[in-house]
């Protein structure tokens, strides 16, 4: 199949290109090569340079919002994997224009071209995000019901970070989120990902294109940007340890995420374009297991053999959620996809990939930016 991968020079994109080539697909990559992701030394990443040098892929540097360019690239494509996006929940609060442009307008442009131009595209896979669920799903042990929990300002003022049932105030226990769970984006990034999948589902449906929106959880693995201080907690912690500095942890570090290895995600992308599913679908792509940030840090300390302790800053970033992990049965049923790499194993090649990797530690700059725009709360409830 002839596949266009937008954002194909990025983290998920590069592993998706690997697996597509391994399965005999013809790949074109469109990527704008954002300096925040690829660093200020804007060289083509080695894995991509290798493919370009051997004529294995067609690489085009450009923006997904560029209609004419997309039109030209889509003329001969049969499938699109749309990954290009700006990433970072916290940064999106002070860069809403950039996030709307790349994520919302970028996807709208893609759908516009698919709608109006003659193309061969019959399958579209769109990168969505678990962030669109907002504060996850909670179990109220008193009322014995699943609820859509909230975090109260008064709790945050006292360093009580756990969400509550808004109805009776009981602190809830996190539960896996199913696809039919109400969507409540709590950041500009999440809002743009919500738009991304919804515009793809609505317009794709009209064009008789099979559209599969994959709601990924937190992805980690080799080739994740080590320069972008806004994405990938695991990559950020790794680069801090590698630079001999303590990782900075918001709240108390007991917030949890569903960490999935990038090779599992690439396989989900492959299964999606190769599936015979038509119509519009959304699917969770995760492991179904929650791991706290402190557990991740302990794993990294053990495997990297460092005894640097994290700095727990007891402050919250505006828009962050407390717990998020996904129910993954739908993808298992419809795609035959199940994540295979447990985090204690997947973390090893992530650490290994640090050797010789380009690291630009901008965590302190990001912290200053968030403070400048009043996007961090202290435990006295003030925005600092
Ligand atoms: N990494 C995660 O944990 C995670 C979690 C959930 C969802 N996602 C989604 O998966 C997708 C891929 O994420 P990633 O981790 O590979 O990110 P990444 O930042 O490594 O890659 C994104 C790529 O898109 C390119 N890009 C950005 N804006 C562009 C534009 N306007 N036009 C063309 N190219 C552009 C960047 O240069 C980069 O190479 C994104 O859509 C993201 O929202 C990622």
């Amino acid at each position: 199949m002839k596949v266009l991968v937008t954002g194909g020079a990025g983290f998920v994109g590069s592993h998706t290109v690997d697996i597509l080539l391994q399965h005999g697909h013809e790949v074109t990559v469109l990527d704008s090569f954002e300096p925040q992701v690829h660093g200020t030394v804007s060289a083509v990443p080695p894995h991509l340079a290798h493919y370009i040098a051997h004529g294995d892929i067609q690489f085009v540097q450009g923006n997904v919002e560029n209609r004419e360019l997309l039109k030209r690239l889509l003329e001969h494509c049969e499938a699109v994997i749309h990954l290009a996006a700006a990433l970072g929940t916290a940064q999106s609060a002070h860069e809403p224009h950039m996030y709307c442009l790349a994520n919302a307008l970028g996807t709208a442009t893609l759908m516009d071209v698919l709608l109006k131009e003659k193309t061969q595209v019959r399958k579209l896979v769109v990168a969505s995000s678990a962030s669109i669920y907002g504060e996850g799903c909670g179990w109220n042990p008193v009322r014995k019901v699943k609820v859509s929990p909230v975090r109260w300002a008064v709790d945050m003022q006292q360093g009580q970070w756990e969400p509550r049932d808004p109805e009776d105030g009981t602190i809830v226990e996190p539960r896996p989120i199913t696809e039919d769970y109400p969507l409540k984006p709590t950041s500009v990034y999440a809002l743009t990902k919500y738009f991304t999948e919804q515009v793809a589902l609505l317009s794709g449906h009209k064009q008789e294109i099979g559209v599969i929106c994959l709601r990924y959880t937190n992805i980690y693995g080799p080739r994740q940007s080590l320069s972008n201080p806004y994405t990938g907690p695991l990559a950020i912690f790794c680069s801090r340890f590698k630079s001999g500095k303590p990782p900075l942890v918001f709240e108390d570090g007991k917030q949890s995420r569903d960490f999935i290895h990038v090779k599992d995600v690439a396989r989900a992308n492959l299964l999606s374009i190769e599936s015979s599913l038509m119509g519009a679908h959304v699917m969770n792509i995760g492991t179904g297991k929650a791991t706290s940030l402190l557990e991740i840090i302990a794993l990294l300390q053990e495997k990297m053999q460092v005894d640097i302790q994290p700095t727990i800053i007891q402050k919250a970033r505006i828009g962050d959620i407390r717990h998020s992990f996904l129910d993954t049965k739908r993808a298992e049923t419809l795609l035959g996809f199940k994540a295979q790499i447990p985090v204690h194993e997947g973390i090893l090649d992530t650490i290994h990939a640090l050797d010789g990797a380009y690291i630009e530690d901008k965590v302190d700059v990001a912290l200053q930016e968030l403070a400048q725009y009043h996007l961090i709360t202290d435990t006295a409830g003030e925005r600092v």
Side-chain angles (χ1 to χ4, degrees), residues 132 183 193-203 213 215 282:
I132 66 176
L183 303 178
K193 294 312 286 186
Y194 175 58
F195 179 87
T196 293
E197 70 158 50
Q198 294 300 315
V199 76
L201 291 170
L202 287 171
S203 352
C213 294
R215 294 175 179 165
V282 289

Side-chain angles (χ1 to χ4, degrees), residues 252-270:
D252 59 359
K254 292 182 186 153
Q255 60 271 48
S256 63
R257 298 288 182 270
D258 181 338
F259 289 97
I260 185 166
H261 195 277
V262 66
K263 286 191 175 140
D264 275 330
V265 172
R267 195 164 46 82
N269 291 342
L270 176 79

Side-chain angles (χ1 to χ4, degrees), residues 143-349:
R143 297 202 296 125
K144 301 207 182 312
V145 282
K146 275 190 188 169
V147 297
S148 188
V150 292
R151 296 219 271 177
W152 288 348
V154 64
D155 280 342
M156 308 284 271
Q157 287 164 14
Q158 290 159 15
Q160 198 300 100
W161 309 110
E162 295 300 331
R164 295 180 185 271
D165 179 347
E167 202 158 307
D168 67 359
T170 303
I171 290 180
V172 300
E173 296 160 12
R175 286 289 184 272
I177 311 168
T178 48
E179 286 85 351
D180 53 4
Y181 191 74
L183 303 178
K184 288 199 304 186
T186 59
S187 66
V188 174
Y189 168 71
L191 203 58
T192 61
K193 294 312 286 186
Y194 175 58
F195 179 87
T196 293
E197 70 158 50
Q198 294 300 315
V199 76
L201 291 170
L202 287 171
S203 352
H205 195 57
K206 288 195 188 113
Q207 297 155 58
E208 295 174 355
I209 293 175
V211 180
I212 302 183
C213 294
L214 300 177
R215 294 175 179 165
Y216 310 138
T217 52
N218 274 69
I219 310 168
Y220 70 95
R223 302 185 199 152
Q224 187 156 30
S225 172
L226 299 171
S227 328
N228 189 348
Y230 290 105
T231 59
L234 211 144
I236 296 170
F237 296 159
C238 275
S239 18
R240 291 289 284 188
F241 278 142
K242 190 78 181 167
S243 320
K245 294 180 186 164
L248 301 186
V249 180
F250 287 91
E251 305 181 18
D252 59 359
K254 292 182 186 153
Q255 60 271 48
S256 63
R257 298 288 182 270
D258 181 338
F259 289 97
I260 185 166
H261 195 277
V262 66
K263 286 191 175 140
D264 275 330
V265 172
R267 195 164 46 82
N269 291 342
L270 176 79
L271 287 172
S272 299
I273 63 151
E274 288 186 344
S275 93
S276 54
L277 281 177
M278 288 310 281
H281 302 270
V282 289
M283 287 174 220
N284 287 340
I285 298 295
T287 66
K289 294 190 181 63
T291 310
S292 76
L293 297 190
L294 290 183
E295 285 170 322
I296 286 294
I297 286 173
L299 258 177
L300 288 174
Q301 285 168 325
E302 181 199 328
K303 308 284 185 198
M304 292 177 81
Q305 298 183 327
V306 289
D307 61 3
I308 303 170
Q309 294 309 310
T311 305
I312 314 286
I313 58 180
Q314 295 287 351
K315 291 175 184 172
R317 284 187 306 192
I318 305 293
D320 266 1
I321 52 178
R322 183 69 180 167
H323 302 290
S324 172
F325 68 111
L326 301 182
D327 180 294
T328 57
K329 286 185 208 82
R330 186 181 289 180
E332 212 176 319
T333 309
L334 295 181
L335 290 181
F337 171 78
K338 198 168 168 47
Q340 289 171 345
I341 307 172
V343 73
H344 64 272
E345 276 174 26
I347 217 165
L348 295 176
D349 63 357

